[in-house]
């Protein structure tokens, strides 16, 4: 088997983002292999932990991926302040004689956004709604590298490393089977309050999980890298629960056209055509625009929004939400069948290096200063009796279950096979009996009867 075949068999998907199947990404030739260890959002600890703990495995996987891609340059991009991590990785590079460099980034958001990272490392801006590969780059998360290292040894992805931070006794790393209940992870970190809600991922782009029912149903997937525990009444939850109607109303009445949302937008900075202030300015007349061309000309910029949240969480002095407005407009563009032209060769704006959002100021704006700068030094293993394994933990089609209720599975055995097209294999994270199969996933019980 070649590398993409081994990676496909092991069910490796992007560990730090939306879960793009890695075998598809690796089935290419690229000048640059960039390994993303920048921990894009504040409070997340996972990439740092992996760099400190598994540097040799990461570098070995980087060598294999670079050889397969034919990469001329291989770098690990991470924040320059990650001294212990850089030291561990550089020691592994030396020991293995690997041609892998370190690219030190500033402490800003969104350093780990792959298009921002590509621009910082190579000076090239990817096309609008394009891929790093369009400018000769493959970007993979450092957690994905660790899973590639596992795939090289024939080990499928059945576990996940994640940090639990926020209102907990102290931040911790956990190593758990995929499908572990999120609340078991929270309990293992000893939450300091009872009335809490959660964010899965980072505070800017993570998924808020609010209410007992939603928290009970949430499980760890191959892409879960962090859980933030916050008081139920925290600003971030109040903001997430604002209805779209209020957001639209506020946008129409309170936008002062200061343009900060545009000037600080990371996609605007790498040269993409996106000016959220203009979308906000024209929102009042949106319901009356029926002509497709006029709609595209007025609101087409929204198609280039990557949902990073800088505009609403940091830039806007009026606490408006250009991101949510852009999400609404993108939905309208889809429903109306409007295709927006793409600039295939954008050029970064001259101001780019002065306009990125400093992480410490962002953290203060988000009301998270109490939790910033605390690090996870220990890692706990969890061994749950039962897991619920979703069939869709990746971008593309859900995997197709190959086991039936009542069948015994061994840890690492194939549970659901990648569907035709874009999809990924899913393996049993624990040994036990399949006790339930729903449209969404399978429950495995490892309890001895
Ligand atoms: S969320 Fe806001 S800042 Fe981010 S890409 Fe979209 S418009 Fe730009
Ligand atoms: S930053 Fe806020 S007030 Fe300024 S133009 Fe954008 S949406 Fe309007």
């Amino acid at each position: 088997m070649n590398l993409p075949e081994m990676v496909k068999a092991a069910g490796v998907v992007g560990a730090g983002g939306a879960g793009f199947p890695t075998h598809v990404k690796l089935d290419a030739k690229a000048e640059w292999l960039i390994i993303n260890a920048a921990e894009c959002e504040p409070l997340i600890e996972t990439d740092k932990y992996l760099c400190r703990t598994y540097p040799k495995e990461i570098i070995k996987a980087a060598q294999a991926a670079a050889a397969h891609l034919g990469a001329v340059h291989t770098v690990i991009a991470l924040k320059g302040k990650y001294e212990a991590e850089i030291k561990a990785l550089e020691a592994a590079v030396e020991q293995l004689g690997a041609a892998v460099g370190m690219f030190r980034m500033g402490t800003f958001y969104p350093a780990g956004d792959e298009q921002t990272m590509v621009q910082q490392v190579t000076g090239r801006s990817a096309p609008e709604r394009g891929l790093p590969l369009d400018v000769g780059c493959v970007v993979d998360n450092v957690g994905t590298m660790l899973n590639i290292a596992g795939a090289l040894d024939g080990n499928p992805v059945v576990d996940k490393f994640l940090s639990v931070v926020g209102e907990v006794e102290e931040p911790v790393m956990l190593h758990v089977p995929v499908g572990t209940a999120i609340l078991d992870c929270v309990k293992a970190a000893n939450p300091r309050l009872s009335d809490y809600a959660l964010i899965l991922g980072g505070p800017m782009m993570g998924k808020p999980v609010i209410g007992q029912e939603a928290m009970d149903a949430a499980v760890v997937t191959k892409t879960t890298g962090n859980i933030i525990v916050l008081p139920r009444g925290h600003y971030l939850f109040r903001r997430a629960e604002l209805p779209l109607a209020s957001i639209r109303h506020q946008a129409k009445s309170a936008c002062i056209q200061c343009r900060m949302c545009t000037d600080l937008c990371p996609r605007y900075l790498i040269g993409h055509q996106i000016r959220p202030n203009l979308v906000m300015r024209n929102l009042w007349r949106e319901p009356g625009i029926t002509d497709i061309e006029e709609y595209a000309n007025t609101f087409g910029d929204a198609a280039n929004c990557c949902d990073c949240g800088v505009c609403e969480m940091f830039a806007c002095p009026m606490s408006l939400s250009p991101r949510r407005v852009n999400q609404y407009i993108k939905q309208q563009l889809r429903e109306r069948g409007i295709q927006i032209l793409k600039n295939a060769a954008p050029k970064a704006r001259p101001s780019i290096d002065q306009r990125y959002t400093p992480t410490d100021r962002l953290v203060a704006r988000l009301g998270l200063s109490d939790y910033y700068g605390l690090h996870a030094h220990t890692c706990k293993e969890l061994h749950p009796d039962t897991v619920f394994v979703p069939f869709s933990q990746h971008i593309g089609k859900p995997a197709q279950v190959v086991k039936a209720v009542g069948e015994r599975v061994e840890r690492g055995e194939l549970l659901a096979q990648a569907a035709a097209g874009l999809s990924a294999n899913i393996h049993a994270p624990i040994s036990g009996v399949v006790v339930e199969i729903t449209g969404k996933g399978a429950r495995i019980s490892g309890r001895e009867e």
Side-chain angles (χ1 to χ4, degrees), residues 366-383:
L366 298 176
L368 297 173
S369 298
D370 286 352
Y371 319 113
Y372 189 52
L374 305 174
H375 299 295
H377 297 292
T378 54
C379 184
K380 291 186 194 176
E381 303 269 341
L382 297 192
H383 302 284

Side-chain angles (χ1 to χ4, degrees), residues 286-302:
E286 190 264 340
I289 301 180
T290 51
D291 180 73
I292 296 270
E293 204 177 321
E294 187 183 355
Y295 200 95
N297 288 339
T298 312
F299 295 114
D301 276 18

Side-chain angles (χ1 to χ4, degrees), residues 255-261 277 280 315-318 320 322:
C255 176
I256 55 173
Q257 282 299 296
C258 67
R259 237 192 89 112
M260 289 298 283
C261 51
N277 70 303
M280 298 297 272
C316 184
M318 304 302 286
L320 303 179

Side-chain angles (χ1 to χ4, degrees), residues 261 264-267 274 276 304-311 322-323 326:
C261 51
L264 300 189
C265 169
R267 285 290 185 269
I274 178 165
N304 292 328
C305 173
C306 68
D307 287 341
C308 74
V310 165
C311 51
R323 167 167 64 174
N326 279 346

Side-chain angles (χ1 to χ4, degrees), residues 22 84 95 215 220 271 362:
T22 303
Q95 224 176 335
M215 291 196 293
V220 172
L362 175 66

